[in-house]
Amino acid sequence: MSKATASLPRTIGAHAILLTYTIIALFPVFVVVINSFKSRQAIFQQPLTPPTPKTFDLIGYTTVFGQGDFFLYFQNSMIVTVVSLFFVLLFGAMAAFALSEYRFRGNTLMGLYLALGIMIPIRLGTVAILQLMVASGLVNTLTALILVYTAQGLPLAIFILSEFMKGVSDDLKNAGRIDGLSEYTIFFRLVLPLVRPAMATVAVFTMIPIWNDLWFPLILAPSEATKTVTLGAQIFLGQFVTNWNAILAALSLAILPVLVLYLIFSRQLIRGITSGAVK
Amino acid sequence: MGSLKIENVKKSFGPVDVLKGIDLDVKDGEFVVFVGPSGCGKSTLLRVIAGLEDATSGRVLIDSQDVTATPPAKRGIAMVFQTYALYPHLTVRDNMALGLKQAGEPAAEIEKRITAASTMLSLEPYLKRRPAELSGGQRQRVAIGRALVREPKLFLFDEPLSNLDAALRVNTRLEIAQLHRRLKATMIYVTHDQVEAMTLADKIVVLNAGRIEQIGAPMELYHSPANEFVAGFIGSPKMNFVDGARLGESVKTVGVRPEHLTVDPKAGSWKGTVVHTEHLGADTNVYLDCEKAGLITVRIFGVYDAEPGSTLYATPDAARTYRFDADGKTVK
Ligand SMILES: Nc1ncnc2c1ncn2[C@@H]1O[C@H](COP(=O)(O)OP(=O)(O)O)[C@@H](O)[C@H]1O
Ligand SMILES: [Mg+2]
C-alpha cells in the first residue's frame, strides 16, 4: 500500500474487519479438523477445544483407512473433478471464443441459450438425466458424472469467458491471421494465455460444487467402484449410530485435494491480475 | 511490385453501410494515405484490403490478381496496427520470425531478414526482450520490423503513430518516410491526422462517411479542394466558411483559409472584434467576430499583438477564396 493512502487507524480497522470475517468463515472448517483428531467422548464433551494429549485420538483416521476403499473414493472424486474441469474449461473457452469472435446468424440467441443454464438448476432434470443414463448404460460409471458436471459447469464458464474474450485485442488476433496462424493457434496460443485469470476463476467456481456434490453420485453412480468421497463418507452416517470420528476424519481429508487445486489456480489468478496491473 | 486496385467495394455491418462503393487505384511504389474523421470507415477499408474483413460486394486486386477470396496470409501484405499487436509471449526476434516460419522460409533466410530489419530500425539490442520490456516507441518499431521481414508487396499501416507521444510521433513519422524512400515499396497508411497525411503522402484519399471525397496529391487538395468537406478537412487551422448571402455573393458558401486573410487596425473588408488570440511563436491565430462574416480565424505569421475587445479589419486574398454551391461542390 502506498504511504498516501495508509493511515494507521484505517489499516487497523480494515484488518480487523477482514480478520473477523476470515475467522467466521474458517470456523466450521477449524472445528471439523480439530475434532477429527479427538476421541469420541472428547468430541461431545468439549467440541471447541483443540486436542490435548489426553483427548488426542486417531481412531477416526484409522477407521477411514481401515474401512473399505477410501483411496478409491478419493481417486474417483479426483478423476471426476479434474476431467470435468478440463472439459468445462476447454469447451467453455472454445464456445466463448466462437461467440465473441465470429459474427454469424443467431450469435446472440446462441449466447443467451448457453447462458440460460446459469439460471435453471440442472437438478430439475435429474429424472430425465437418470433415464438417459439408464438408456445409454452409463449408470454406475464415472463417465455419467463427468458428462453431467461438464454440462453443469459450461453455462457459467461460457458467460464469464466470453466477456473476457471480447476484451482481447482484435489487432492481436488480426496480426496472427496476417502471419498465417490458424484460428486454432490464435485461440490456443494468443487468446487463452491472455484470459488465464478468467480461466482460473472459472476453474475455482466449477471445481468446488463438483467436488462437494452428493446428489448425482448418489443417484447416478452409487456403486462401490464409483463412489466419490462425499458419498463414501455417508457409510459412517447411520440412521441410529453415527461414527463422528470417521466422518470428521473423512471430511478433513476431503479438504486436502481441493485445497491443492485451489492453490494452483489462485496463483494463476493473482499472477494474471498483477501482470495486467504493471503492464 | 505492388499495385492495388479496388473496384466498387461496399461493406455493411448488418443494416449499417460503412463503405458505400469505393474505387481506387494505387500504383507500384506509391505512398497513399487514407484520411478522414473517426468512424468514416478507414480502418474497415484497410481491413478489407488485408482480407481481415470480407467486402459485402466489390473486388480487391493486388498486382492485377483478384485476391477477394484469398486469406490474409496469402495476399503478400504486412500490417502495422495502432496498438502494436505484438505477441506478448514471444521475444522481439520471435515476433518478427513467426510469420516467416509459418510460411516455411528456411532458417538462414529468416535470420538474414531479421538482421537486416533490426539494423534498419536499430532494434539489435532488444532482440531477446519481450514486448512488455519495451517502450511504446520501441514496440512500434518492432511492429514495423515484423512487417518489414515479410517483404510484402503492400504495407498497410493503421494509425501507427496515434499511441505515441508528440516527439516520438515526429521521429517515427520521419522513419516511416525514410523507409518508404529506401524500400520503394507500396504503402497504404490510415490516419485521422491531416498533418501526417500531408507530410507522408504521395497521394491522399479523403474519406467521409464511407465515400471518397477526393483523391489527389497533398498540394492539389490544399490548392483545389473538390468540395467543402475537403476544404475544411485539409489545412490547419480550419478554413473559414462564410454564408454567401451575407457577403452578397450568389454562391451558398464562401471559404477562405486563415492564412489567406490579412488584418489591419484601420481599414479592410470585414470589420470585427478580437475575441481571442493564440500565440504559437512562429505564428499567431486571431479569432475575430466580424459583422459580415461571423466568427473567423486569421493566421498571422510571426508575433502579432491584438487585445481582446479591440477592433480589427480582416481582408481576404481575393485570388485565394473558394466558392461552394448548395451541394458543397467547389464552384470554379
Ligand atoms: N465489427 C464491426 N461491427 C459493427 N460495426 C463496425 C464494426 N467495425 C466497425 N464498425 C463501424 O464501422 C464504422 C467505421 O469504423 P472504422 O472503419 O473503424 O472507422 P475509422 O475511420 O475510425 O477507422 C464505425 O461507425 C464503426 O462503428
Ligand atoms: Mg480506425
Side-chain angles (χ1 to χ4, degrees), chain B residues 229-242:
Chain B
F229 178 83
V230 176
F233 197 81
I234 302 290
S236 167
K238 206 170 161 291
M239 183 184 279
N240 297 300
F241 294 108
V242 182

Side-chain angles (χ1 to χ4, degrees), chain A residues 122-189:
Chain A
I122 193 169
R123 283 167 201 205
L124 286 182
T126 303
V127 173
I129 290 174
L130 181 58
Q131 284 170 342
L132 195 74
M133 294 301 173
V134 170
S136 47
L138 287 173
V139 172
N140 280 330
T141 60
L142 296 181
T143 316
L145 292 178
I146 290 170
L147 288 176
V148 170
Y149 291 140
T150 306
Q152 172 187 307
L154 276 176
L156 190 67
I158 294 171
F159 185 72
I160 294 181
L161 291 176
S162 59
E163 282 311 307
F164 270 81
M165 286 192 186
K166 275 179 201 149
V168 174
S169 146
D170 279 337
D171 285 355
L172 186 64
K173 291 175 271 190
N174 285 339
R177 289 187 183 116
I178 287 180
D179 274 342
L181 303 182
S182 70
E183 292 297 311
Y184 283 98
T185 317
I186 290 173
F187 171 70
F188 283 112
R189 302 293 297 280

